[in-house]
Amino acid sequence: MRWDLFCRVIDNYGDIGVCWRLAADLGRRGHAVRLWVDDASALAWMAPEGAAGVEVVPWSSEPPPLVPGDVVVEAFGCDPPPAFVQRMQQRPPVWINLEYLSAEDYVERSHGLPSPQRNGLTKWFFYPGFSPRTGGLLREPGLIEARAAFDRSAWLQVRGLAPQPGEQVVSLFCYDNPALPALLQTLAARPTLLLLTPGAAQHQALPLLDAQGRLGALRTVPLPWLTQPDYDRLLWSCDLNFVRGEDSFVRAQWAGAPFAWHIYPQRDQAHAAKLEAFLDRFGAEEPVRALWRGWNGLGLWPDALPSLGTWAAACQAWRQNLLTQQDLTAQLLGFAMAKRLK
């Protein structure tokens, strides 16, 4: 099938990150994808080699007059251009709104529901999620096998990131976060190699360190921008990952290592309920809950990090549970095909 996938880059990189992974996965499975995006600049470092079957289409004020494909996916309710929607009426595609990821109960109730439009077309809600009653999570074929075969020591060594004896390895990817100084102090209490991603993590952390990038027993290394596959490998290499948004949140779960999520803050505090819903579904123990709440400004900063051994076992059990569900791309393909046949 030919897919038109629409993406607006609002801020940060989660929207284009999710859309690129989906587009590349569809292309890998033999489908033709046009990724319409209003700001493709992040793809220069995220996916510099492109992907087979994927064409990037500039989404400007005057988008090209292309004929809609078999399936139109708007990511996160971004609404395709009116002229494109008008052309959709001539040969109606399967129109899908790929929604935000959440563990809240409404996702199971809303997944797969139709939304009739005034122009006679029907838009379908497709919700990613963590249970069989949702659309699942992005997981390309071979991901878990690649994770199992990964050589952490070799990957870190080649990049000059090898930990010193006794150091735990931690990655940090975050938004601006008032709790970051407290995190650095906690990590500085034991030998730690902290790998700082570009952006907010480096901007906030580096001024708090000495000229050698150190604080107590904490040693830091600023990272360059990483491609999506290399970011996955970074997560696989660490004993603990601090992630943010949606894309890295999902990839941390496939890594199977302890992780803490910096959820995108919302003014109405809706993110607090979203965070608690995931912690409940995950079955997080109280030390993990305390860390996540403290990291997100929803509670006091804890005295210490949770035990990584116990936490890692819980993350691996959670990953095994997720693997019993069909991945998002496969579900999306099945959903679209079923609607086309009706």
Side-chain angles (χ1 to χ4, degrees), residues 13-300:
Y13 307 109
D15 33 33
I16 186 63
V18 170
C19 290
W20 181 257
R21 286 196 195 272
L22 174 58
D25 197 10
L26 285 167
R28 193 179 297 113
R29 301 185 197 213
H31 298 266
V33 184
R34 292 186 299 218
L35 174 59
W36 298 68
V37 59
D38 61 344
D39 181 3
S41 58
L43 295 179
W45 53 264
M46 189 180 291
E49 298 180 358
V54 180
E55 174 190 1
V56 177
V57 179
W59 183 358
S60 61
S61 57
E62 296 183 7
L66 299 176
V67 176
D70 304 298
V71 187
V72 172
V73 177
E74 58 175 82
F76 317 126
C78 64
D79 291 322
F84 188 88
V85 174
Q86 189 172 16
R87 290 194 293 275
M88 287 165 58
Q89 298 177 58
Q90 300 168 18
R91 180 178 173 267
V94 180
W95 187 3
I96 296 171
N97 178 10
L98 178 64
E99 276 287 356
Y100 290 99
L101 173 64
S102 178
E104 294 168 285
D105 291 341
Y106 77 85
V107 169
E108 293 183 341
R109 297 193 302 268
S110 305
H111 176 59
L113 292 181
S115 175
Q117 305 294 297
R118 292 181 178 179
N119 58 11
L121 298 174
T122 297
K123 185 189 301 187
W124 300 88
F125 289 105
F126 194 96
Y127 279 85
F130 306 96
S131 77
R133 294 177 59 190
T134 69
L137 302 175
L138 281 169
R139 184 182 80 246
E140 59 272 21
L143 175 67
I144 302 304
E145 292 77 9
R147 171 69 180 97
F150 178 68
D151 187 337
R152 153 185 159 143
S153 296
W155 191 85
L156 289 171
Q157 184 74 41
V158 166
R159 285 153 184 81
L161 303 174
Q164 297 173 358
E167 280 186 329
Q168 64 180 354
V169 184
V170 181
S171 75
L172 179 59
F173 183 41
C174 62
Y175 305 114
D176 288 334
N177 194 325
L180 189 138
L183 172 64
L184 297 184
Q185 290 291 340
T186 299
L187 294 176
R190 60 159 290 184
T192 300
L193 171 59
L194 179 61
L195 303 176
L196 299 168
T197 60
Q202 293 183 15
H203 294 160
Q204 294 176 91
L206 293 178
L208 303 176
L209 309 170
D210 66 19
Q212 287 73 45
R214 294 177 178 268
L215 177 68
L218 173 67
R219 180 170 67 96
T220 67
V221 176
L223 298 174
W225 292 109
L226 299 176
T227 64
Q228 284 192 328
D230 265 342
Y231 181 71
D232 286 340
R233 296 178 189 115
L234 172 68
L235 296 176
W236 300 350
S237 298
C238 293
D239 303 299
L240 171 60
N241 292 302
F242 286 82
V243 296
R244 76 180 198 193
E246 182 168 321
D247 180 62
S248 60
F249 175 46
V250 171
R251 305 313 280 195
Q253 291 171 66
W254 295 134
F259 65 98
W261 182 28
H262 192 185
I263 190 170
Y264 189 82
Q266 295 172 272
R267 291 182 181 178
D268 60 0
Q269 295 294 299
H271 64 288
K274 192 173 181 178
L275 189 84
E276 293 296 329
F278 179 80
L279 289 170
D280 289 343
R281 194 171 290 273
F282 182 87
E285 296 186 349
E286 189 53 39
V288 174
R289 291 175 182 266
L291 174 64
W292 281 42
R293 291 167 181 157
W295 184 232
N296 284 280
L298 300 170
L300 297 176

